[in-house]
Amino acid sequence: TVPALAYEVDFINRIEWSAESSHVAYSTVSNQYGTSHIGVWDVVSSNMLFLTPLETSVWDIALHPDGEVLVALTMDDEFEDIASVFDVTSGVLLSGERLTTSAESINSIDWHPDGKYLAAVVRNEDDTDEIRIWEMLQDYSLELVMSFEVIGQPSGSQLEWNAAGDSLAFTYLDIERDVSAVQIWDVSIDDGTATLWNTYFPTLPEGMPSRFTLSGIAWSHDGTRIAAGLTWSSTQIWER
């Protein structure tokens, strides 16, 4: 049987499998009582490993590839984005790292497949946008290792590494065309370089508003295709 993952007053906004498919992690948005939750469910034993209430909003979660820690993107009292690292088994908070100032914002985070790096799309104070990549150190703190400016405005951005860890895809709003699209960047962390490889624009039905039409993206396991979910209950797939 599958246990309820949220209370009646909760709304699940993120859900993610562990790499070995043994755990499901999820988060909820703040409910009417001002409380959100993050939790991890063991699908083998059908037990909740932990369920932690938070007095703040949770914007995104990222389950580490080794399945041992979970990063939750939250916001503190000064409206600064915090990466809170939790132990998956116990729910113990291992670290809390401030990633932005109050004038910046992050919508999406994702672990590099090797588990060493965490990437995020950041909206800067001057309305420019960039991708930042941090390395997780032994004490679970995060150290910025590289960043690069991206084109366009993140549109409810979702960010995802491919399985090889050499390309990043994210959704954004193309201001000039007034349309949501997907950018693919080739990234070398060792060299500190990033190159825009391609941009994909969805094919829209006649009369469909072009803005904010992309609700999610996912790489195929072999990295040859990128799928995008669209807000009119459709999916489009592009070749890499």
Side-chain angles (χ1 to χ4, degrees):
T1 60
V2 179
L5 297 183
Y7 301 107
E8 291 181 0
V9 293
D10 285 344
F11 175 80
I12 293 177
N13 64 336
R14 292 289 188 272
I15 191 163
E16 183 171 322
W17 281 99
S18 63
E20 74 283 1
S21 301
S22 62
H23 299 150
V24 170
Y26 74 96
S27 63
T28 68
V29 297
S30 294
N31 58 32
Q32 65 195 65
Y33 304 110
T35 303
S36 58
H37 293 86
I38 58 172
V40 177
W41 174 49
D42 186 322
V43 299
V44 177
S45 65
S46 295
N47 293 325
M48 292 296 298
L49 297 181
F50 77 88
L51 181 64
T52 299
L54 300 172
E55 301 303 319
T56 182
S57 295
V58 181
W59 302 111
D60 199 6
I61 58 172
L63 195 56
H64 193 274
D66 68 8
E68 295 183 1
V69 297
L70 170 73
V71 173
L73 180 64
T74 62
M75 185 176 290
D76 65 10
D77 294 337
E78 299 178 356
F79 300 102
E80 297 178 345
D81 293 304
I82 304 295
S84 300
V85 183
F86 294 88
D87 181 277
V88 164
T89 302
S90 65
V92 171
L93 179 64
L94 301 174
S95 73
E97 193 83 11
R98 182 175 288 107
L99 299 184
T100 66
T101 67
S102 59
E104 300 171 327
S105 61
I106 297 176
N107 288 322
S108 181
I109 54 176
D110 193 40
W111 282 108
H112 189 276
D114 69 7
K116 291 178 60 178
Y117 304 102
L118 184 73
V121 184
V122 181
R123 180 73 168 173
N124 292 316
E125 183 177 3
D126 60 1
D127 290 334
T128 60
D129 304 289
E130 65 182 9
I131 291 177
R132 297 180 190 173
I133 299 175
W134 294 265
E135 180 180 3
M136 188 173 71
L137 306 180
Q138 289 186 346
D139 62 356
Y140 302 104
S141 63
L142 296 170
E143 180 178 272
L144 185 66
V145 293
M146 70 175 288
S147 63
F148 56 94
E149 188 172 336
V150 295
I151 303 165
Q153 175 182 334
S155 167
S157 301
Q158 183 176 346
L159 176 78
E160 185 165 317
W161 288 98
N162 66 346
D166 56 11
S167 292
L168 270 170
F170 81 101
T171 58
Y172 81 106
L173 176 64
D174 187 295
I175 301 298
E176 292 184 358
R177 300 193 187 192
D178 194 30
V179 62
S180 297
V182 177
Q183 284 185 10
I184 308 293
W185 288 80
D186 289 334
V187 180
S188 173
I189 298 176
D190 291 339
D191 298 334
T193 59
T195 305
L196 179 61
W197 182 83
N198 203 355
T199 301
Y200 298 108
F201 295 93
T203 302
L204 305 177
E206 185 176 354
M208 177 63 63
S210 58
R211 279 196 173 207
F212 311 113
T213 52
L214 294 174
S215 55
I217 53 174
W219 285 98
S220 61
H221 290 300
D222 62 5
T224 62
R225 295 179 177 88
I226 185 82
L230 299 102
T231 52
W232 62 89
S233 300
S234 176
T235 301
Q236 292 185 12
I237 299 174
W238 296 283
E239 295 283 349
R240 170 68 167 88

